[in-house]
Amino acid sequence: MSSETEPVARRRRCTCKVIVAVIVALVLLSILAAILAIGLGGPGNDLRRVVMSRCTTFLEREDPPNRRKICQTLWDAFTGAFVGRDQCEVPLEAYDQLVHSVPQKDHCHRTLFWSKTKHVVHQFTQGTKCLVTLEDTLLGFVMDGLTWCGRNGSRKTFTTGCPRWTQCPLNPVRSFWGRVSAAFAASACGNATVMLNGSLATPFDPNSTFGSIEVKNFNSSRMTGLAVVLVASESDSATCENSSLQNLQKALDPALKYSCKVVQQSQIQGCIADPPLACGKCW
């Protein structure tokens, strides 16, 4: 190669390297954008995919006919509650159609409420299948852990930029859980149970979902009693004489039979390992 053509060839090689580098960078940026979109749960399709998938998974256990139709009805009623609305102006009643559109089952003598004991409660229900929490029902299972909202003038659903739980009382997530909690409590029949946190100075918090919504929706024509399980560790000085539990008893309809028992968390863990015991006399 002559000395005159060598710089030209070198420039061509350099140009090709630059073009390849630019293409690689664009590909990497596209991949990164896709990953971020998935991670952030962008609007619309991602939320629908999760909801429909969870709905189908749940209904496969029950094996009802027309599972896809039930899940589509659920999605339509769900989004109809908040799409196009102000993010802080979604009342509990907006979810009425959703609550009425899904199949409801009675869980007589098996209903389990909880407050500040979510981890141990769900360990218990998932390990034993004896009692049923809201999160073990169709709506609770499908929406557990999700975030969503709409926006004024938009027909899209969003999972980012939504109000936090305490940011405004009528945000779409908080109103959803308030509405389905009220329905779950109203449907309780027979003897129900609630697991409260015995490690706290006030196990019964009147401002919690259990205290402010579920207790107020107990129906004494269906429900006969409430058993409090005060979950405690060995170092706790938990007692059923706690003043907050006395407040709980006062808040209940006098027609409901009330009972309370302190149960060690280690005992509950033992019941999880022995389902026949858990479904009998764990406490």
Side-chain angles (χ1 to χ4, degrees):
M1 181 180 294
S2 70
S3 59
E4 292 180 358
T5 59
E6 185 175 354
V8 174
R10 186 180 298 115
R11 284 196 299 272
R12 287 175 178 170
R13 287 197 297 271
C14 290
T15 301
C16 289
K17 289 179 179 179
V18 170
I19 293 172
V20 170
V22 169
I23 292 173
V24 170
L26 290 173
V27 170
L28 290 175
L29 285 172
S30 298
I31 293 173
L32 179 59
I35 292 173
L36 287 173
I38 294 172
L40 292 174
N45 290 336
D46 287 343
L47 179 62
R48 185 181 188 280
R49 175 179 52 79
V50 171
V51 168
M52 296 295 282
S53 174
R54 288 186 179 184
C55 179
T56 302
T57 297
F58 184 94
L59 291 178
E60 282 174 349
R61 308 170 188 169
E62 311 284 332
D63 198 28
N66 303 319
R67 288 195 295 268
R68 178 173 291 276
K69 183 178 180 181
I70 293 172
C71 293
Q72 184 61 53
T73 298
L74 183 153
W75 171 256
D76 291 341
F78 168 63
T79 53
F82 65 89
V83 167
R85 287 180 179 258
D86 185 287
Q87 297 177 355
C88 288
E89 295 294 336
V90 180
L92 276 66
E93 295 77 17
Y95 291 100
D96 282 354
Q97 182 181 349
L98 173 63
V99 169
H100 297 314
S101 68
V102 299
Q104 302 289 338
K105 293 184 64 176
D106 282 335
H107 303 288
C108 283
H109 306 294
R110 299 180 60 216
T111 306
L112 176 59
F113 301 96
W114 58 271
S115 182
K116 299 178 176 62
T117 52
K118 183 175 183 178
H119 181 67
V120 66
V121 162
H122 290 144
Q123 274 191 324
F124 182 83
T125 59
Q126 292 167 14
T128 65
K129 310 299 182 185
C130 301
L131 301 178
V132 178
T133 68
L134 174 56
E135 292 77 16
D136 299 312
T137 66
L138 175 58
L139 288 177
F141 176 84
V142 170
M143 304 304 174
D144 191 24
L146 299 183
T147 297
W148 63 87
C149 62
R151 291 179 188 170
N152 271 332
S154 172
R155 301 307 301 168
K156 295 181 179 180
T157 59
F158 299 88
T159 56
T160 58
C162 299
R164 296 182 299 276
W165 182 270
T166 57
Q167 187 171 335
C168 51
L170 295 183
N171 71 67
V173 175
R174 185 167 177 173
S175 289
F176 166 82
W177 287 109
R179 181 63 183 89
V180 296
S181 294
F184 184 64
S187 70
C189 64
N191 293 311
T193 305
V194 59
M195 284 192 184
L196 300 179
N197 193 333
S199 299
L200 301 177
T202 55
F204 172 65
D205 178 1
N207 296 314
S208 66
T209 299
F210 174 68
S212 64
I213 294 177
E214 290 171 332
V215 167
K216 294 179 179 179
N217 280 278
F218 289 160
N219 183 352
S220 59
S221 67
R222 290 175 50 85
M223 187 172 157
T224 55
L226 179 70
V228 174
V229 174
L230 198 57
V231 183
S233 63
E234 294 181 2
S235 60
D236 293 330
S237 56
T239 171
C240 285
E241 302 305 315
N242 186 286
S243 60
S244 73
L245 296 181
Q246 294 176 19
N247 292 334
L248 168 58
Q249 191 170 3
K250 293 175 183 177
L252 295 175
D253 187 318
L256 295 178
K257 182 180 178 181
Y258 172 88
S259 66
C260 176
K261 187 172 185 179
V262 178
V263 180
Q264 297 294 320
Q265 187 164 343
S266 58
Q267 182 177 338
I268 294 175
Q269 294 295 336
C271 293
I272 295 171
D274 186 1
L277 174 63
C279 296
K281 291 289 184 181
C282 182
W283 47 74

